[in-house]
Amino acid sequence: ATKAVILVGGASRGTRFRPLSLDVPKPLFDVAGHPIIWHCLTAISKVPSIQEVYLIGYYEESVFRDFIKDAATEFPNIAIKYLREYQALGTAGGLYHFRDAILKGRPEHIFVLNSDVCCSFPLNQMLQLAQEKDAEAVILGTRVSEEAATNFGCIVSDSHTRRVLHYVEKPESHISNLINCGVYLFSADVLFPSIRSAIKRRTDRPRLGSYRSSENLASSFMIDDDENQKNEVIRLEQDILGDMADSKQFFVYETTDFWRQIKTAGSAIPANALYLQKALQSGSKDLAPPSANIIPPVYIHPSAQVHPTAKLGPNVSVGPRATIDAGARVKESIVLEDAEIKHDSCVLYSIIGWSSRVGAWARVEGTPTPVTSHNTSIIKNGVKVQAITILGKECAVGDEIRVQNCVCLPFKELKRDVANEVIM
Ligand code: GDD
Ligand code: GTP
């Protein structure tokens, strides 16, 4: 058998996803009409040998309850459980903590997926490569530009055998433009012993203690706590993968399909577009049928109300009970639950938060970023701003108001034109 783990992180993470993560945990944010991790589960459910999936993270127990209940009916062939870390244990620490549960039923292989990536998750192909090469580990890789590469884990591989020769997490200088997509397949026999030796190395050679001043007891206690916490954190990327490249049968499956990280709130827009395009290519019935005013791909929740003269698309998702009135234009955007887009307004490259309202003849817009870019910020007047305009929950944009390249925190009312600002 095979099992899968999705690393969902916890409430202290996803800060770059603000203001959207103030109201929903990032893994449950809707892109292309479904929570981010629903897209991971869709791919997992297509691997016949997987019957069990664990979400590992340090969110409260209740956070994933409803999602898991819904997913159980949508993915009847897989059992989904949430396993909660008592604190952030790192990408390998959580796996190790729950090793008994994961190893139950003696799975041969374990998939590990970062929850904050968007891609086609070619899991069956990774499994096939593992079998062909008799691999102990397979990592999903993709090529990015030289400037982008150092923001990710970098892989040096033998192009002929596809063996991983060298792995460095976010290197300081360029070593390769083949990067870690955050999707792995491990042989169960190798994963846990590798984590155990990393932990052992750490306890054998503990880090130098920090300088303690007796005059400042309070702060030295704080440092102590911090150090303890850090010592328990074990990360796949820094503590495990480099070693695997040196000593194990470690291979890379290179995808030429789409891949993006979902870190900033703005990055939900490219992710939404890529998943919608994928749905369009696969002929998904999820999408709105094309018409004079619907430029595919567009997702409209069945409970949303879109006026027939409103023009939508491409790459638009409209959430439950949202309303879009006559003559409005929506393009490359996400309109969340209960939002109202009034008549003749225009929403471009934006995310309209839950229960927000865009007034009549208003314009809410961001700026397109190049399709190959791994960055949704741009420089305007010498200042770095978000290319995507984001309205948090329950914001209101007045009639005829123009909002350009802004991030707007929840509950704000915009009564004047604004550009390149964070509205707090
Ligand atoms: N359960 C749990 N516990 N999950 C965690 C923890 C933890 O302590 N820390 C991080 N995660 C989860 C995050 O929610 C995310 O899904 C994933 O692990 C990786 O997050 P980060 O640790 O923030 O790493 P990163 O996103 O900066 O970089 C990683 O992903 C890139 C691809 O997106 C690395 O693996 C890079 O090498 C890789 O290129
Ligand atoms: P159309 O010009 O409507 O055909 O859109 P398009 O598919 O060519 O894409 P474009 O990049 O032009 O989309 C944004 C466009 O929407 C703007 O350039 C305007 O032409 C149009 N637009 C702006 N404001 C409004 C509005 O209030 N109502 C409508 N219906 N359209 C608007």
Side-chain angles (χ1 to χ4, degrees), residues 295 309-311 313-314 326-331 342-349 360-363:
I295 307 158
T309 62
K311 185 170 173 181
R329 176 75 178 98
V330 185
K331 173 175 166 176
K342 293 298 178 191
H343 68 89
D344 301 295
S345 63
C346 185
V347 174
L348 312 171
Y349 300 92
W361 297 100
R363 269 186 94 91

Side-chain angles (χ1 to χ4, degrees), residues 376-380 383-388 405-406 419-421:
T376 51
S377 56
I378 51 165
I379 307 292
K380 276 268 170 103
V383 184
K384 201 163 132 182
V385 297
Q386 270 303 311
I388 303 300
N405 294 107
C406 286
N420 311 322
E421 269 185 57

